[in-house]
Amino acid sequence: MSIGSTSAESGRNGYLDLDGDGERSPYPAGFGLDFRRIWVLLRRNALIIAGIVTVAAIIGLIATLLMQPTYIAEASVQIEQETDRVLESQSVEPVAAYQDADRFLQTQTDILRSRAMSRRVAQALNLLDANSFFEAMGTEPPEEIPGMTLQQAKRDAVVDLLLENLLISLPQDSRLVTIGFRSPNPRLAARIANTYATEFIRSNLERKFESSSYARDFLSKQLAETKARLEQSEREVNAYARQAGLIRTEDDVEGGSGQQSVTSASLVQLNAAANDAIAARIAAEQKWRSVERTPALSIPDVLANQAIQGLLQQRSERTAALQQELERHRESHPTVLQLRAQIGEVNSQIDTLAAGIRSSIYNQYQSALLRERSLIAEVGQSKGARLAEQDRGVRFNILAREADTNRTLYDGLLQRFKEVSAAAGISSNNISIVDEAEQPTEPDSPKLPLNLALSILIGLAAALGIVFIREQLDDAIRAPEDVETKLSATTLGIIPAVDERPIDQLSDPRSPVSEAYNALRTALLYSTSEGLPASMFVTSSQASEGKSTTSLAIAVGLAKLGKKVVLIDTDLRRPAMHILLGLPNGLGLSDLLTSTQSLSAALRPTSHENLSFVSSGPVPPSPTELLGGMRFPEIVAELEADFDAVVIDGPPVLGLADAPIVAGIAAGTVFVVEANRGHRGGTKSAMRRLRSARASILGVVLTKFDNRKAGSDYGNYGNDYYSYGHHQD
């Protein structure tokens, strides 16, 4: 087996077999990105890419110029959770906790995006029933929808249009909300943005007023009922005192008691004191029971303590400082440890003070309990002497306490009613306008640089996709690397394309064509393990690819090395070698195949030393039968015995059987492919036919190669490839 075929076989390792013919595909198995090949493809298709990108940029430019410009006007409002307190308690609405600030702010932005807010804006600007708004927004008014009047459809369309072009922005860690509106009319955009801000504030005030109005109505009803009960209880007290004959002084009336004598007065005083003690004990007990199992920092008295508030403030400051230190230092850092110790000390002080306050509440309860028991004991001791008077005073005291209770409830409701009424008249608001929207002077869209950039990117992506598809569909043999990847064959030589006939340049030993064929000759000398094959068949897949010129150049090149060479023209259909050599096509191969004439009679000397020639002879009626007979192998064997090299110029493969027959007889086959003309499918099919005839393909000669058009790495050599030394600087 020849070196060429061996290298071709070994080159299949690690490649995908896509054709199912045992030959490697153009792409290695498990291949990755080949940046060199990508660069070659981009350079080869540079004009296509540039054209597509240019067209995309022009389309983007035209589309941008045809777009209607839109403007965005922005107003900003500040939203606070609480307003300035003019009164001690001026709002009946619950105040959101500061830990819930994000949800509160998100709720406010959702209110801004609500349909109700857009409907308020539309009503404020008289947009619901006018078609001018649709004209200003560059849209058509809606048509009547089944089940809905035209007016309803128009109002819904106005609200939808407002919501579609409303832009609400709430930056993180900020209470400043930006209200933007997009419109083709800059003046309208500014008006709508400002109206959204003012209507948002007005809506907030209305909600506050409505909630306080409901509270006032409720308090007014409760106040009237409590007042009636108070008047009734006071009338009952007076009626009972008159009926029982109890005479009360002014102080007695205010104290809710009345006596007939000093004894009864003393009993009443003791009884009143006992009642007060009971009430005080009940209040103290209730207070103690309410805080007995309550965490210290949840007790109102603890939280109201100035010292506790100061310590809580210190703990918050030290905790904040500790968090800052932890962001910069580790747990073991002295500053972190010191802050933790300080926080622990503050917590200890808070716990101590809180425990003291809890203990004082308990002591108050015990004191009230002792006082109650003491007064009850004194009343019990005086009970026998003053029992009659006490019986008359019990009913009076009950009625008096009921009147006092009603009076206390009435006073509380009256005070709260006054506060709510006063708060309703104060227009305090937690939302304020920071910046009003101004009429924009420049459109926000379309943005020409952005659109052009996107158009260029889209064009580039489309161009790359087209180039990729084009390259996948393009199986032309353009460059030497295509011979290796697409044909799975060895490149023996690269013959450059020239303006004149290549055969004319063979006479100049320093011409690019001569240098290229010299390189081919050298490759053939080492193409097999034994060196130069005894006989070489030169063919191609189709006509006019340069096989005859290549045959002559190989023969002449070997003859110049001093080898005895014979050149045979086996193209019995369209012979041309005798024309290249300037010899007559007399007695030739067809005569030798159809007669018993000796081989020496057909051998002709040429103008080249050591080179003999056997012409094709007359064109026979059936070249395939002549070449397939027993005579032709004998002629080749006889020439191999008499000459150092036998060069056979054969017909192209095409769809005929001539070339495979000759290739099976010759020791080696040189396959000629014209650059940019030969295609992978047809060329591989031709080479497969030769291999099926047991031909040993030495390699491929790429003819008419123009490095400027190939787009391959060979183009890096420029136009002076194979021209080193032709001129001096």
Side-chain angles (χ1 to χ4, degrees), residues 441-698:
T441 57
E442 296 182 359
D444 178 72
S445 65
K447 298 178 180 179
L448 181 59
L450 177 61
N451 290 350
L452 285 180
L454 292 176
S455 300
I456 291 173
L457 288 177
I458 294 173
L460 184 60
L464 293 178
I466 292 174
V467 167
F468 176 77
I469 296 174
R470 182 172 179 267
E471 289 298 326
Q472 294 298 315
L473 299 178
D474 183 16
D475 64 347
I477 309 300
R478 304 179 185 277
E481 56 263 30
D482 292 336
V483 173
E484 299 174 1
T485 58
K486 295 181 180 181
L487 300 181
S488 306
T490 303
T491 303
L492 294 175
I494 306 169
I495 312 303
V498 292
D499 295 334
E500 52 184 318
R501 293 196 311 164
I503 194 66
D504 296 334
Q505 286 203 358
L506 289 177
S507 58
D508 183 3
R510 302 188 66 182
S511 66
V513 174
S514 296
E515 295 288 356
Y517 278 118
N518 289 338
L520 171 61
R521 177 188 62 193
T522 303
L524 290 174
L525 292 174
Y526 301 98
S527 60
T528 67
S529 58
E530 293 82 12
L532 183 69
S535 58
M536 291 173 290
F537 174 54
V538 181
T539 186
S540 62
S541 60
Q542 52 189 330
S544 303
E545 291 193 68
K547 58 179 180 54
S548 297
T549 302
T550 300
S551 301
L552 178 59
I554 293 174
V556 172
L558 294 175
K560 289 181 179 180
L561 293 180
K563 294 183 179 293
K564 188 177 180 183
V565 183
V566 61
L567 177 60
I568 308 175
D569 189 355
T570 59
D571 189 352
L572 302 183
R573 299 177 185 272
R574 294 176 58 187
M577 187 57 68
H578 64 282
I579 299 176
L580 298 178
L581 290 172
L583 297 175
N585 188 14
L587 180 65
L589 180 61
S590 61
D591 297 310
L592 297 177
L593 296 176
T594 56
S595 66
T596 58
Q597 296 186 21
S598 63
L599 179 59
S600 59
L603 286 173
R604 291 187 180 85
T606 65
S607 58
H608 302 281
E609 187 178 359
N610 297 326
L611 176 60
S612 299
F613 174 62
V614 177
S615 65
S616 64
V619 176
S622 180
T624 303
E625 294 179 0
L626 294 181
L627 294 174
M630 299 298 296
R631 178 59 177 158
F632 181 66
E634 295 175 355
I635 294 174
V636 174
E638 187 176 350
L639 291 175
E640 289 178 348
D642 294 338
F643 291 88
D644 297 327
V646 178
V647 180
I648 304 173
D649 178 33
V653 178
L654 295 175
L656 305 176
D658 300 7
I661 293 174
V662 179
I665 297 173
T669 299
V670 177
F671 201 89
V672 176
V673 177
E674 180 180 345
N676 296 313
R677 183 185 176 193
H679 291 270
R680 177 176 178 267
T683 304
K684 286 199 70 174
S685 176
M687 296 177 69
R688 191 158 43 245
R689 288 190 62 201
L690 296 180
R691 289 193 180 96
S692 65
R694 298 183 180 181
S696 175
I697 299 178
L698 302 177

Side-chain angles (χ1 to χ4, degrees), residues 11-33:
R12 298 170 193 165
N13 296 332
Y15 282 78
L16 298 173
D17 183 10
L18 300 180
D19 296 335
D21 57 0
E23 298 179 356
R24 65 181 184 180
S25 73
Y27 307 104
F31 67 96
L33 286 177

Side-chain angles (χ1 to χ4, degrees), residues 188-204:
L188 178 63
R191 286 182 60 202
I192 293 179
N194 287 326
T195 305
Y196 261 102
T198 55
E199 288 300 318
F200 181 47
I201 295 175
R202 186 176 290 112
S203 172
N204 185 63

